[in-house]
Amino acid sequence: MSVVMERPDSTCAAAGGRVPQEVRQRLEDFLAGYCHQIDDGDIDSWPGFFAERCVYEITTRQNVEAGLPIGIMYCEGRGMLEDRIKAMKTANIFEQHVYCHLTGRPEIREEGPASYSLRSNFAIYRTMYTGAAELFATGKYLDTVSLAEGEPFFTRRKVVLDSRSLDTLLVIPF
């Protein structure tokens, strides 16, 4: 049995500083919105979650533990993310499928003025056009998010997969 205690003030403790509750809520809503857009098939909006200068990468836990810098995918800048979506729509041939993200509550740390590091766990289920559903991937997101004029944007999203074995059907972003 767990007990949740309300804090008397409007901040949540985090290593590296206290994160105001309104910032925490904005960042949690941002992460949820990101997953919902992908799960709902609105792939065109995916690059808009990222700052113009950003990094998006997918790697494995094994690569991280071994200190290997390159993993499965590495995109630098929003332009590369937009190109990925164009390729997905015009060049790639794949079976239709959808994702369902399940994410844990993020750990949020203030890194500097309007800059936050976030860590959250995820499980992604994939349902194919036939109706067959399976657990597709588990892992964690390691994010850096900046608030530019109050709006959150990823400056870095590192997807660390628990398994080094991944289905070749890695089309839709994590």
Side-chain angles (χ1 to χ4, degrees):
M1 177 174 151
S2 66
V3 176
V4 177
M5 303 278 297
E6 297 242 355
R7 295 182 184 275
D9 61 10
S10 64
T11 60
C12 295
R18 297 175 68 78
V19 178
Q21 185 61 36
E22 60 272 8
V23 172
R24 170 175 285 287
Q25 188 62 55
R26 178 168 287 222
L27 293 172
E28 287 180 1
D29 290 348
F30 172 72
L31 294 177
Y34 174 92
C35 291
H36 292 202
Q37 293 295 100
I38 293 171
D39 293 351
D40 291 344
D42 186 6
I43 299 303
D44 291 322
S45 68
W46 178 65
F49 283 88
F50 292 83
E52 202 60 48
R53 294 179 56 169
C54 64
V55 171
Y56 174 77
E57 62 182 306
I58 301 173
T59 190
T60 64
R61 178 184 297 256
Q62 181 184 23
N63 278 12
V64 170
E65 289 171 355
L68 300 173
I70 302 293
I72 297 167
M73 179 185 306
Y74 185 87
C75 296
E76 194 170 336
R78 189 185 296 166
M80 286 183 80
L81 302 178
E82 291 166 350
D83 287 347
R84 177 161 167 70
I85 298 304
K86 277 186 211 164
M88 185 183 109
K89 290 180 156 191
T90 59
N92 296 345
I93 298 172
F94 58 92
E95 291 181 72
Q96 290 299 315
H97 62 284
V98 295
Y99 287 162
C100 178
H101 287 74
L102 302 175
T103 58
R105 184 171 186 255
E107 173 185 81
I108 302 173
R109 296 181 178 161
E110 186 171 20
E111 296 296 324
S115 179
Y116 300 88
S117 66
L118 293 80
R119 181 203 189 274
S120 53
N121 296 329
F122 68 84
I124 300 174
Y125 287 86
R126 179 178 67 184
T127 303
M128 303 306 288
Y129 77 97
T130 61
E134 66 182 351
L135 179 61
F136 179 59
T138 61
K140 62 185 170 187
Y141 294 122
L142 302 174
D143 302 318
T144 304
V145 176
S146 64
L147 294 175
E149 298 179 20
E151 291 301 314
F153 292 97
F154 290 113
T155 54
R156 179 177 207 88
R157 172 150 260 212
K158 185 174 188 174
V159 181
V160 181
L161 302 173
D162 288 333
S163 176
R164 64 181 180 196
S165 175
L166 183 67
D167 187 317
T168 57
L169 190 57
L170 177 59
V171 179
I172 299 173
F174 281 96

